[in-house]
Amino acid sequence: MMENNKEPLSLIIIIGFMLLLNLVLGVDSAEKFRITRHDFPNDFVFGSGTSAYQWEGAADEDGRTPSVWDTYAHDGYVHGGQNGDVACDGYHKYKEDVKLMVESGLEAYRFSISWSRLIPNGRGPVNPKALEFYNNLINELISNGIQPHVTLHNFDFPQALEDEYGGWISRKIVRDFTNYADVCFREFGDRVSYWITINEPNVFSLGGYDQGNGPPHHCSPPFCVNKSKRGNSTTEPYLALHHILLAHSSAVRLYRTKYKEKQNGFVGISVYSFGFFPNTTTEKDILAAQRARDFFVGWVMEPLLHGDYPTSMKKIAGTRIPTFTDRESKLVKGSYDFIGLIHYTNLNITDNSLVLESNLRDFSADMAVLMHGSDLFANAEYPIEPWGLIEELNHFKLNYGNPPMFIYENGQRTASNASLQDVSRVKYLQGYIGATLHSLRNGSNLKGYIAWSFIDLFELLDGYESSFGLYYVDRNDPELKRYPKLSAKWYSWFLKGRSFAVEAIELEKDSSHISIDHFFD
Ligand SMILES: *[C@@H]1O[C@H](CO)[C@@H](O)[C@H](O)[C@H]1NC(C)=O
Ligand SMILES: *[C@@H]1O[C@H](CO)[C@@H](O)[C@H](O)[C@H]1NC(C)=O
Ligand SMILES: *[C@@H]1O[C@H](CO)[C@@H](O)[C@H](O)[C@H]1NC(C)=O
Ligand SMILES: *[C@@H]1O[C@H](CO)[C@@H](O)[C@H](O)[C@H]1NC(C)=O
Ligand SMILES: *[C@@H]1O[C@H](CO)[C@@H](O)[C@H](O)[C@H]1NC(C)=O
Ligand SMILES: *[C@@H]1O[C@H](CO)[C@@H](O)[C@H](O)[C@H]1NC(C)=O
């Protein structure tokens, strides 16, 4: 289906050429160029990912206790009352799944450790059965030449710590998280070189502590999506994220002092980012888009870079956003070896500063914008707009110090009962991998691309109704048999060196909008 036809011209030259054609001749060119795995540096890794609660199942086996995500699902807040008790049964089927990864040619696999499986009460004794499972999984990956990228917290801290002191709203969690990280570094760090402390703390804090549409389901009226037993949407999102940054940097410091010399690994954090585009060219919409990026991304990135929150956030949230002491500021600043970017889709941003006249404001109101984008809560396919990824990577390059980065999640959502011929997922991956190469060649410090997700998972918002997997999981089959979708075959071809075509890169009038048209060959 695809020819192995490596195009010698670089993407940059092509873009320059097309630009020239468009500007000078005013014509659209249908010139095609091809992209292969070999256009990326040798040490750039391609992989795919899952996370513990979404993949493992075996929720109450071998000593695991519930996480806040178990509780959230069992309380009925996920589509159709679904939960991750069984998920993909990865706990028992990990060998089978690693075999599929090998067949697919994956170079890296990103997964997460279940804190409440490893340390069932959140602190204290380590569960030997969990050690055995994660050792087996890691060994299986390593012996097949697949690089593990391991997340420590993916929306799923132990319910025991939520019950005891309120989880992330208490500073006590900093010590417990650091001890948990210590166990992971000590037990697995001889084979794991890439650690992500906390996955998308921005979305976790917004969903879990403001709107209440994610675990641990804290929110206060009138900001709740569903009524909640506890919470304070005006303060808790800021507090939770503050403690996350302290816990993250404490784990990084621990790694650097106790493990780095011996294990030579890298510790980072992942951040969720939309593409933020002003809805109009008015100054207030341009400022609004910048403010939205400050609230979403700067919230995490500015403290990591400079040891403090963005000025725009401090001005608006006032005393509701915690203050870093000098000691904390020093601890947080520079506490990363790399940043993981999670990106799916774009938003058009309109200024909504009027809302700042109200005194009762949650994190979302503080942002003071209206967002328009593909509905996060609908079971719908994402538009393929890879210029949003290019735009965000440019911002990381220009405003956040161009850190080493992995794209840790990016992929197409479809209904889980959609066809195995998932052409839209193939087109999505082609567009975004094309954008990744474009950004790499324009100076972004990119180290890898990890597609979400390896197989169909229990998803945060839609349960089993929507899916992102390269492999389909037949949930009507008690064996939960996996079937490759077209996207799995396509990704495998690409990873094994075949090329794909990208056609007509053009810069539009608004230079922030680069559209990459691409089609399945
Ligand atoms: C949560 O809110 C949604 C939307 O209002 C509603 O459909 C759903 O039934 C609620 N879930 C629970 C468990 O109350
Ligand atoms: C949230 O916390 C703030 C600051 O402590 C307090 O003024 C406010 O009353 C709290 N709101 C709720 C709903 O508890
Ligand atoms: C976004 O901009 C368009 C004009 O480009 C306008 O029609 C629309 O009302 C704006 N949306 C909002 C919510 O302001
Ligand atoms: C955002 O604005 C662009 C035009 O600038 C438009 O093409 C696109 O449909 C808008 N997206 C949404 C989700 O409103
Ligand atoms: C998938 O499920 C939805 C909702 O139940 C249904 O409307 C749709 O027809 C189904 N599609 C297929 C291809 O079975
Ligand atoms: C390349 O990066 C520069 C900043 O270093 C940015 O201004 C420019 O828009 C980028 N070009 C493209 C085509 O993305």
Side-chain angles (χ1 to χ4, degrees), residues 142-320:
I142 298 281
S143 65
N144 283 291
I146 299 170
Q147 188 180 77
H149 288 241
V150 180
T151 305
L152 300 182
H153 179 284
N154 195 84
F155 292 78
D156 60 347
F157 68 92
Q159 181 66 36
L161 301 184
E162 171 72 7
D163 295 341
E164 184 184 329
Y165 53 65
W168 286 109
I169 62 169
S170 166
R171 189 178 279 259
K172 288 184 182 158
I173 200 166
V174 175
R175 173 177 292 188
D176 287 337
F177 181 80
T178 308
N179 287 335
Y180 161 53
D182 196 10
V183 172
C184 295
F185 298 152
R186 185 183 71 218
E187 297 292 337
F188 312 124
D190 57 333
R191 289 151 292 155
V192 174
S193 297
Y194 295 91
W195 296 100
I196 304 101
T197 53
I198 289 139
N199 183 51
E200 49 186 54
N202 49 354
V203 166
F204 172 69
S205 299
L206 183 55
Y209 296 89
D210 179 359
Q211 298 167 343
N213 52 9
H217 194 227
H218 284 209
C219 58
S220 60
F223 306 109
C224 289
V225 175
N226 289 93
K227 219 167 121 198
S228 162
K229 287 190 213 93
R230 65 203 301 182
N232 185 335
S233 300
T234 72
T235 53
E236 283 192 5
Y238 295 110
L239 197 58
L241 194 122
H242 194 70
H243 293 148
I244 286 175
L245 286 172
L246 297 180
H248 157 81
S249 50
S250 163
V252 169
R253 184 179 55 185
L254 173 80
Y255 190 84
R256 287 179 177 171
T257 53
K258 197 168 162 190
Y259 297 101
K260 177 77 182 180
E261 204 183 321
K262 234 185 178 163
Q263 299 183 347
N264 273 308
F266 305 93
V267 189
I269 191 166
S270 62
V271 186
Y272 187 104
S273 179
F274 293 100
F276 297 97
F277 293 97
N279 186 51
T280 67
T281 54
T282 58
E283 197 188 346
K284 58 191 180 70
D285 281 355
I286 292 170
L287 287 174
Q290 182 51 45
R291 192 165 60 243
R293 187 179 283 111
D294 282 351
F295 270 74
F296 250 91
V297 186
W299 193 15
V300 179
M301 287 308 300
E302 296 270 343
L304 292 180
L305 269 167
H306 307 299
D308 201 4
Y309 294 112
T311 311
S312 59
M313 293 187 80
K314 293 197 291 180
K315 215 167 124 193
I316 292 173
T319 56
R320 288 179 290 118

Side-chain angles (χ1 to χ4, degrees), residues 8-195:
L9 287 178
S10 85
L11 186 51
I12 292 294
I13 292 170
I14 299 271
I15 291 164
F17 174 65
M18 314 271 307
L19 232 176
L20 215 66
L21 267 184
N22 283 330
L23 293 183
V24 178
L25 304 175
V27 296
D28 284 334
S29 167
E31 185 105 3
K32 275 210 257 181
F33 63 94
R34 308 192 69 86
I35 292 181
T36 81
R37 166 68 188 99
H38 307 299
D39 292 322
F40 293 81
N42 278 338
D43 62 353
F44 184 99
V45 291
F46 279 95
S48 190
T50 66
S51 93
Y53 188 63
Q54 300 179 270
W55 174 67
E56 285 179 9
D60 61 4
E61 257 179 73
D62 290 346
R64 182 183 180 277
T65 67
S67 73
V68 289
W69 199 345
D70 296 63
T71 307
Y72 180 76
H74 279 270
D75 284 349
Y77 296 117
V78 179
H79 182 95
Q82 294 164 342
N83 61 60
D85 286 0
V86 175
C88 307
D89 199 22
Y91 188 71
H92 297 112
K93 294 187 184 302
Y94 71 93
K95 274 197 179 172
E96 189 184 318
D97 284 345
V98 174
K99 194 156 166 266
L100 296 179
M101 292 172 207
V102 174
E103 282 166 22
S104 309
L106 289 203
E107 299 154 9
Y109 175 53
R110 174 173 176 250
F111 65 95
S112 78
I113 290 176
S114 161
W115 183 350
S116 62
R117 188 185 293 289
L118 191 64
I119 306 176
N121 291 312
R123 90 169 77 83
V126 175
N127 175 4
K129 285 286 191 185
L131 282 181
E132 190 185 323
F133 169 66
Y134 292 114
N135 274 323
N136 286 344
L137 171 60
I138 291 165
N139 291 342
E140 193 72 12
L141 291 167
I142 298 281
S143 65
N144 283 291
I146 299 170
Q147 188 180 77
H149 288 241
V150 180
T151 305
L152 300 182
H153 179 284
N154 195 84
F155 292 78
D156 60 347
F157 68 92
Q159 181 66 36
L161 301 184
E162 171 72 7
D163 295 341
E164 184 184 329
Y165 53 65
W168 286 109
I169 62 169
S170 166
R171 189 178 279 259
K172 288 184 182 158
I173 200 166
V174 175
R175 173 177 292 188
D176 287 337
F177 181 80
T178 308
N179 287 335
Y180 161 53
D182 196 10
V183 172
C184 295
F185 298 152
R186 185 183 71 218
E187 297 292 337
F188 312 124
D190 57 333
R191 289 151 292 155
V192 174
S193 297
Y194 295 91
W195 296 100

Side-chain angles (χ1 to χ4, degrees), residues 279 348 372-374 513:
N279 186 51
N348 288 344
H372 329 272
S374 66
H513 287 61

